[in-house]
Amino acid sequence: MDAALAPRATPTRLAPPPEPAHADSGMPIGIALLAAAAAGLLLDAGFPDRGWWPLSIAGTALLLLSLRGRSLRGAMLVGAVGGFVYYGALIEWLTVYLGLVPWLALTIAQVLWVALGAVPIALAWRWLPRAFPGGLGRRVLLPVVLAAFWMLRESVANVFPWAASPGAASPSRRRRARSPAGSAGSG
């Protein structure tokens, strides 16, 4: 029998559908690192010492977007850059009272949590649109899961390493903490 006329073998398995073009599209790593650094500054500017609280919403959104499409290592790097800029600026007042070494130690401790917390967020960006490709998955489930992972990371950062992050306290709470009345449970 002629090879051209022979029946062709059909594959027994169907190939998976191609990935949507937008499934893992994220910004290039260099842009994501710059966006994470900018997000850290925006998050810091949202705290009471400056009082520009809407910037914390923009900073959170920018940091979450910079994690889209990241690998595990990329997510940790982006999270570390964003966390270092954020906590480095947020708790810089520690250098006045304790010096550079305690500031750096607390900043690095918090950076580790931000970097580790970035991993499940990046995985959610990657897997949820694939697992739930419809509008409900992308418009409802994905934002809920991203917010849950963000809040979980925030919850851990608020109690580690010393029961409460001193940088997260407002300036008035910092003053009360240094005053004798602040240690008596006022507030």
Side-chain angles (χ1 to χ4, degrees):
M1 180 182 243
D2 191 314
L5 299 176
R8 294 184 194 175
T10 57
T12 57
R13 273 184 19 178
L14 294 174
E19 293 294 326
H22 59 80
D24 285 333
S25 61
M27 50 185 90
I29 189 68
I31 303 291
L33 292 172
L34 290 173
L41 292 173
L42 290 172
L43 285 166
D44 175 55
F47 268 77
D49 56 338
R50 288 192 186 87
W52 304 335
W53 65 267
L55 293 180
S56 62
I57 297 169
T60 301
L62 187 58
L63 190 55
L64 289 173
L65 284 173
S66 68
L67 291 169
R68 185 175 183 190
R70 299 278 73 88
S71 65
L72 297 182
R73 275 191 283 168
M76 289 186 74
L77 180 61
V78 168
V81 167
F84 188 81
V85 172
Y86 170 54
Y87 280 105
L90 183 68
I91 61 174
E92 59 81 26
W93 58 269
L94 275 177
T95 59
V96 173
Y97 302 105
L98 301 174
L100 185 63
V101 173
W103 167 82
L104 189 59
L106 181 57
T107 299
I108 289 173
Q110 295 294 14
V111 163
L112 291 175
W113 285 117
V114 176
L116 290 173
V119 171
I121 292 170
L123 292 176
W125 271 118
R126 180 180 300 171
W127 291 343
L128 284 175
R130 290 179 184 170
F132 302 96
L136 187 63
R138 284 191 318 258
R139 292 186 186 102
V140 176
L141 185 60
L142 182 62
V144 168
V145 170
L146 291 175
F149 283 143
W150 181 267
M151 291 309 300
L152 177 64
R153 190 210 55 79
E154 283 288 320
S155 298
V156 171
N158 282 332
V159 296
F160 176 83
W162 297 293
S165 174
S170 68
S172 62
R173 289 180 70 189
R174 289 181 208 152
R175 282 191 294 276
R176 280 195 305 255
R178 289 192 301 265
S179 71
S183 60
S186 67

